[in-house]
Amino acid sequence: MLFPFAAAIDSGLAVAAGLGLAAGGFAYASRWPASRVFGRALTAPARPGELALTFDDGPNPAWTPKLLDILAAHSVQATFFLLGGFASSQPDLVRRIAAEGHLLGNHSWSHPDLSRTPAHRIREELARTSDALQQIAGAPIRYFRPPYGARRPVVFRIARELQLTPVLWNAMTTDWSEPFAEKITARLAHKIDRLTQARRAVNIVLHDGGHRALGTNREPSIQAAQRLIARYNQTHAFVTLNAWSA
Ligand SMILES: [Zn+2]
């Protein structure tokens, strides 16, 4: 059978079928952020001029505090997709993120590839993280971004059962491996300008942490965030994802 997930087919099918849903199609459907084959997710609405800065793989005691200082200095609110394992070891930092008006999201407990994780473990990764974040910050968690953007239908089904809206993105570059903030900034600015011209809001991914270890150096990503804020603060509105609530 060419496509085994009939229940999840929606408008993404035409695209996926056009690409040929064999092995390559599976990779497309399970990872490409624009693919809707495996269920709908929030990317960005038709609200040109709105930018959502989102930060994945934190909290990171080495860099998240500096990022929070930058955001506060410019009165910009962002969305943080936190790893439950890191968050549980950094409760004060998680509370600071929430107290400064940023939105907390669930990025799983330990950053597995959920397109290859058994359903019972997916549920454990997501539920444990939401519970921990809620206990620490005192507010329910409503947004979830799958690690690597990797998913299959059961991932989004479990997320929705846990009252989590799945979130992907429409502007990302390899900030985790790029040493020059200027390059990260230029690549993202190009995407922001193109999406703004196309009358879309922009859901920007940067990384304030690294999922392999607490304390990963994220100076280029944090500098890029600062530069993007300086570049767009006069012309665009920075929003958190609940402004686009699905
Ligand atoms: Zn991640």
Side-chain angles (χ1 to χ4, degrees), residues 55-58 81 83 107-108 111 145-149 205-207 209-211:
F55 296 95
D56 287 7
D57 294 1
F81 285 99
L83 290 170
H107 195 44
S108 82
H111 212 276
R145 177 177 280 150
Y148 315 104
V205 181
L206 284 164
H207 292 76
H211 70 267

PDB file of all heavy atoms in Angstrom, residues 55-58 81 83 107-108 111 145-149 205-207 209-211, ligand 1:
ATOM      1  N   PHE A  55      11.960  29.712  20.833  1.00  0.00           N
ATOM      2  CA  PHE A  55      13.268  29.179  21.220  1.00  0.00           C
ATOM      3  C   PHE A  55      13.099  27.745  21.696  1.00  0.00           C
ATOM      4  O   PHE A  55      12.299  27.470  22.593  1.00  0.00           O
ATOM      5  CB  PHE A  55      13.889  30.051  22.312  1.00  0.00           C
ATOM      6  CG  PHE A  55      14.177  31.447  21.836  1.00  0.00           C
ATOM      7  CD1 PHE A  55      13.255  32.469  22.044  1.00  0.00           C
ATOM      8  CD2 PHE A  55      15.342  31.737  21.148  1.00  0.00           C
ATOM      9  CE1 PHE A  55      13.497  33.759  21.581  1.00  0.00           C
ATOM     10  CE2 PHE A  55      15.600  33.025  20.675  1.00  0.00           C
ATOM     11  CZ  PHE A  55      14.671  34.035  20.894  1.00  0.00           C
ATOM     12  N   ASP A  56      13.876  26.848  21.097  1.00  0.00           N
ATOM     13  CA  ASP A  56      13.767  25.425  21.407  1.00  0.00           C
ATOM     14  C   ASP A  56      14.973  24.932  22.223  1.00  0.00           C
ATOM     15  O   ASP A  56      16.055  25.518  22.184  1.00  0.00           O
ATOM     16  CB  ASP A  56      13.729  24.602  20.112  1.00  0.00           C
ATOM     17  CG  ASP A  56      12.405  24.731  19.362  1.00  0.00           C
ATOM     18  OD1 ASP A  56      11.557  25.552  19.765  1.00  0.00           O
ATOM     19  OD2 ASP A  56      12.234  24.007  18.363  1.00  0.00           O
ATOM     20  N   ASP A  57      14.760  23.815  22.910  1.00  0.00           N
ATOM     21  CA  ASP A  57      15.822  23.005  23.542  1.00  0.00           C
ATOM     22  C   ASP A  57      16.362  23.587  24.846  1.00  0.00           C
ATOM     23  O   ASP A  57      17.360  23.101  25.363  1.00  0.00           O
ATOM     24  CB  ASP A  57      16.991  22.735  22.583  1.00  0.00           C
ATOM     25  CG  ASP A  57      16.594  21.862  21.407  1.00  0.00           C
ATOM     26  OD1 ASP A  57      15.416  21.483  21.316  1.00  0.00           O
ATOM     27  OD2 ASP A  57      17.471  21.566  20.575  1.00  0.00           O
ATOM     28  N   GLY A  58      15.724  24.628  25.391  1.00  0.00           N
ATOM     29  CA  GLY A  58      16.110  25.122  26.702  1.00  0.00           C
ATOM     30  C   GLY A  58      15.279  24.435  27.772  1.00  0.00           C
ATOM     31  O   GLY A  58      14.563  23.471  27.465  1.00  0.00           O
ATOM     32  N   PHE A  81       9.970  26.613  23.828  1.00  0.00           N
ATOM     33  CA  PHE A  81       9.650  25.187  23.833  1.00  0.00           C
ATOM     34  C   PHE A  81      10.719  24.464  24.648  1.00  0.00           C
ATOM     35  O   PHE A  81      11.843  24.256  24.184  1.00  0.00           O
ATOM     36  CB  PHE A  81       9.546  24.649  22.405  1.00  0.00           C
ATOM     37  CG  PHE A  81       8.282  25.079  21.734  1.00  0.00           C
ATOM     38  CD1 PHE A  81       8.272  26.146  20.859  1.00  0.00           C
ATOM     39  CD2 PHE A  81       7.086  24.435  22.022  1.00  0.00           C
ATOM     40  CE1 PHE A  81       7.088  26.567  20.263  1.00  0.00           C
ATOM     41  CE2 PHE A  81       5.892  24.839  21.438  1.00  0.00           C
ATOM     42  CZ  PHE A  81       5.900  25.913  20.556  1.00  0.00           C
ATOM     43  N   LEU A  83      12.498  21.568  27.194  1.00  0.00           N
ATOM     44  CA  LEU A  83      12.631  20.134  27.439  1.00  0.00           C
ATOM     45  C   LEU A  83      12.329  19.874  28.906  1.00  0.00           C
ATOM     46  O   LEU A  83      12.914  20.516  29.794  1.00  0.00           O
ATOM     47  CB  LEU A  83      14.046  19.672  27.083  1.00  0.00           C
ATOM     48  CG  LEU A  83      14.348  19.680  25.585  1.00  0.00           C
ATOM     49  CD1 LEU A  83      15.827  19.443  25.315  1.00  0.00           C
ATOM     50  CD2 LEU A  83      13.509  18.613  24.873  1.00  0.00           C
ATOM     51  N   HIS A 107       8.378  20.625  24.611  1.00  0.00           N
ATOM     52  CA  HIS A 107       9.234  20.131  23.516  1.00  0.00           C
ATOM     53  C   HIS A 107       9.675  18.690  23.813  1.00  0.00           C
ATOM     54  O   HIS A 107      10.712  18.255  23.336  1.00  0.00           O
ATOM     55  CB  HIS A 107      10.432  21.067  23.362  1.00  0.00           C
ATOM     56  CG  HIS A 107      11.217  20.913  22.092  1.00  0.00           C
ATOM     57  ND1 HIS A 107      10.633  20.771  20.847  1.00  0.00           N
ATOM     58  CD2 HIS A 107      12.558  20.886  21.857  1.00  0.00           C
ATOM     59  CE1 HIS A 107      11.595  20.676  19.928  1.00  0.00           C
ATOM     60  NE2 HIS A 107      12.768  20.720  20.517  1.00  0.00           N
ATOM     61  N   SER A 108       8.867  17.996  24.607  1.00  0.00           N
ATOM     62  CA  SER A 108       9.107  16.620  25.081  1.00  0.00           C
ATOM     63  C   SER A 108      10.054  16.626  26.281  1.00  0.00           C
ATOM     64  O   SER A 108      10.591  17.672  26.645  1.00  0.00           O
ATOM     65  CB  SER A 108       9.663  15.683  23.989  1.00  0.00           C
ATOM     66  OG  SER A 108      11.068  15.831  23.842  1.00  0.00           O
ATOM     67  N   HIS A 111      13.760  14.762  24.117  1.00  0.00           N
ATOM     68  CA  HIS A 111      14.069  15.046  22.716  1.00  0.00           C
ATOM     69  C   HIS A 111      14.247  13.799  21.843  1.00  0.00           C
ATOM     70  O   HIS A 111      15.161  13.725  21.009  1.00  0.00           O
ATOM     71  CB  HIS A 111      15.327  15.931  22.622  1.00  0.00           C
ATOM     72  CG  HIS A 111      15.312  16.885  21.451  1.00  0.00           C
ATOM     73  ND1 HIS A 111      15.713  16.509  20.185  1.00  0.00           N
ATOM     74  CD2 HIS A 111      14.952  18.178  21.363  1.00  0.00           C
ATOM     75  CE1 HIS A 111      15.605  17.560  19.370  1.00  0.00           C
ATOM     76  NE2 HIS A 111      15.146  18.577  20.056  1.00  0.00           N
ATOM     77  N   ARG A 145       5.869  21.479  20.439  1.00  0.00           N
ATOM     78  CA  ARG A 145       6.607  21.352  19.177  1.00  0.00           C
ATOM     79  C   ARG A 145       7.384  20.045  19.204  1.00  0.00           C
ATOM     80  O   ARG A 145       8.199  19.818  20.107  1.00  0.00           O
ATOM     81  CB  ARG A 145       7.553  22.521  18.969  1.00  0.00           C
ATOM     82  CG  ARG A 145       8.396  22.367  17.691  1.00  0.00           C
ATOM     83  CD  ARG A 145       9.290  23.572  17.423  1.00  0.00           C
ATOM     84  NE  ARG A 145       8.550  24.664  16.811  1.00  0.00           N
ATOM     85  CZ  ARG A 145       8.862  25.945  16.978  1.00  0.00           C
ATOM     86  NH1 ARG A 145       9.862  26.297  17.757  1.00  0.00           N
ATOM     87  NH2 ARG A 145       8.147  26.891  16.384  1.00  0.00           N
ATOM     88  N   PRO A 146       7.151  19.161  18.223  1.00  0.00           N
ATOM     89  CA  PRO A 146       7.873  17.885  18.220  1.00  0.00           C
ATOM     90  C   PRO A 146       9.361  18.099  17.940  1.00  0.00           C
ATOM     91  O   PRO A 146       9.720  18.893  17.069  1.00  0.00           O
ATOM     92  CB  PRO A 146       7.205  17.099  17.079  1.00  0.00           C
ATOM     93  CG  PRO A 146       6.528  18.117  16.229  1.00  0.00           C
ATOM     94  CD  PRO A 146       6.214  19.295  17.102  1.00  0.00           C
ATOM     95  N   PRO A 147      10.229  17.405  18.676  1.00  0.00           N
ATOM     96  CA  PRO A 147      11.665  17.476  18.391  1.00  0.00           C
ATOM     97  C   PRO A 147      11.932  17.133  16.931  1.00  0.00           C
ATOM     98  O   PRO A 147      11.335  16.196  16.393  1.00  0.00           O
ATOM     99  CB  PRO A 147      12.269  16.408  19.313  1.00  0.00           C
ATOM    100  CG  PRO A 147      11.281  16.263  20.432  1.00  0.00           C
ATOM    101  CD  PRO A 147       9.930  16.530  19.821  1.00  0.00           C
ATOM    102  N   TYR A 148      12.812  17.873  16.289  1.00  0.00           N
ATOM    103  CA  TYR A 148      13.158  17.720  14.863  1.00  0.00           C
ATOM    104  C   TYR A 148      11.957  17.970  13.947  1.00  0.00           C
ATOM    105  O   TYR A 148      12.054  17.733  12.742  1.00  0.00           O
ATOM    106  CB  TYR A 148      13.705  16.314  14.549  1.00  0.00           C
ATOM    107  CG  TYR A 148      14.715  15.784  15.527  1.00  0.00           C
ATOM    108  CD1 TYR A 148      14.367  14.819  16.461  1.00  0.00           C
ATOM    109  CD2 TYR A 148      16.026  16.261  15.511  1.00  0.00           C
ATOM    110  CE1 TYR A 148      15.299  14.329  17.370  1.00  0.00           C
ATOM    111  CE2 TYR A 148      16.964  15.775  16.415  1.00  0.00           C
ATOM    112  CZ  TYR A 148      16.588  14.806  17.339  1.00  0.00           C
ATOM    113  OH  TYR A 148      17.512  14.319  18.235  1.00  0.00           O
ATOM    114  N   GLY A 149      10.841  18.414  14.474  1.00  0.00           N
ATOM    115  CA  GLY A 149       9.630  18.484  13.655  1.00  0.00           C
ATOM    116  C   GLY A 149       9.136  17.114  13.237  1.00  0.00           C
ATOM    117  O   GLY A 149       8.280  16.996  12.361  1.00  0.00           O
ATOM    118  N   VAL A 205      12.190  29.861  14.368  1.00  0.00           N
ATOM    119  CA  VAL A 205      12.841  28.978  15.343  1.00  0.00           C
ATOM    120  C   VAL A 205      14.287  29.388  15.542  1.00  0.00           C
ATOM    121  O   VAL A 205      15.036  29.540  14.579  1.00  0.00           O
ATOM    122  CB  VAL A 205      12.872  27.506  14.864  1.00  0.00           C
ATOM    123  CG1 VAL A 205      13.543  26.629  15.927  1.00  0.00           C
ATOM    124  CG2 VAL A 205      11.490  26.997  14.566  1.00  0.00           C
ATOM    125  N   LEU A 206      14.662  29.559  16.805  1.00  0.00           N
ATOM    126  CA  LEU A 206      16.069  29.644  17.191  1.00  0.00           C
ATOM    127  C   LEU A 206      16.246  28.694  18.378  1.00  0.00           C
ATOM    128  O   LEU A 206      15.261  28.221  18.947  1.00  0.00           O
ATOM    129  CB  LEU A 206      16.458  31.079  17.568  1.00  0.00           C
ATOM    130  CG  LEU A 206      16.648  32.045  16.385  1.00  0.00           C
ATOM    131  CD1 LEU A 206      16.651  33.494  16.860  1.00  0.00           C
ATOM    132  CD2 LEU A 206      17.964  31.730  15.651  1.00  0.00           C
ATOM    133  N   HIS A 207      17.477  28.446  18.749  1.00  0.00           N
ATOM    134  CA  HIS A 207      17.742  27.509  19.849  1.00  0.00           C
ATOM    135  C   HIS A 207      18.517  28.222  20.958  1.00  0.00           C
ATOM    136  O   HIS A 207      19.621  28.706  20.725  1.00  0.00           O
ATOM    137  CB  HIS A 207      18.536  26.308  19.330  1.00  0.00           C
ATOM    138  CG  HIS A 207      17.734  25.446  18.386  1.00  0.00           C
ATOM    139  ND1 HIS A 207      17.497  25.831  17.079  1.00  0.00           N
ATOM    140  CD2 HIS A 207      17.090  24.276  18.571  1.00  0.00           C
ATOM    141  CE1 HIS A 207      16.743  24.893  16.504  1.00  0.00           C
ATOM    142  NE2 HIS A 207      16.469  23.944  17.376  1.00  0.00           N
ATOM    143  N   GLY A 209      19.054  26.472  23.717  1.00  0.00           N
ATOM    144  CA  GLY A 209      19.712  25.337  24.355  1.00  0.00           C
ATOM    145  C   GLY A 209      20.128  24.324  23.314  1.00  0.00           C
ATOM    146  O   GLY A 209      19.913  24.514  22.113  1.00  0.00           O
ATOM    147  N   GLY A 210      20.754  23.265  23.785  1.00  0.00           N
ATOM    148  CA  GLY A 210      21.104  22.133  22.923  1.00  0.00           C
ATOM    149  C   GLY A 210      20.620  20.879  23.619  1.00  0.00           C
ATOM    150  O   GLY A 210      20.902  20.705  24.808  1.00  0.00           O
ATOM    151  N   HIS A 211      19.892  20.031  22.893  1.00  0.00           N
ATOM    152  CA  HIS A 211      19.215  18.938  23.602  1.00  0.00           C
ATOM    153  C   HIS A 211      20.183  17.905  24.171  1.00  0.00           C
ATOM    154  O   HIS A 211      19.822  17.136  25.041  1.00  0.00           O
ATOM    155  CB  HIS A 211      18.176  18.278  22.692  1.00  0.00           C
ATOM    156  CG  HIS A 211      18.737  17.482  21.569  1.00  0.00           C
ATOM    157  ND1 HIS A 211      18.956  18.022  20.314  1.00  0.00           N
ATOM    158  CD2 HIS A 211      19.146  16.192  21.497  1.00  0.00           C
ATOM    159  CE1 HIS A 211      19.461  17.081  19.527  1.00  0.00           C
ATOM    160  NE2 HIS A 211      19.581  15.966  20.217  1.00  0.00           N
TER     161      HIS A 211
HETATM  162 ZN    ZN B   1      14.639  20.559  19.617  1.00  0.00          ZN
END
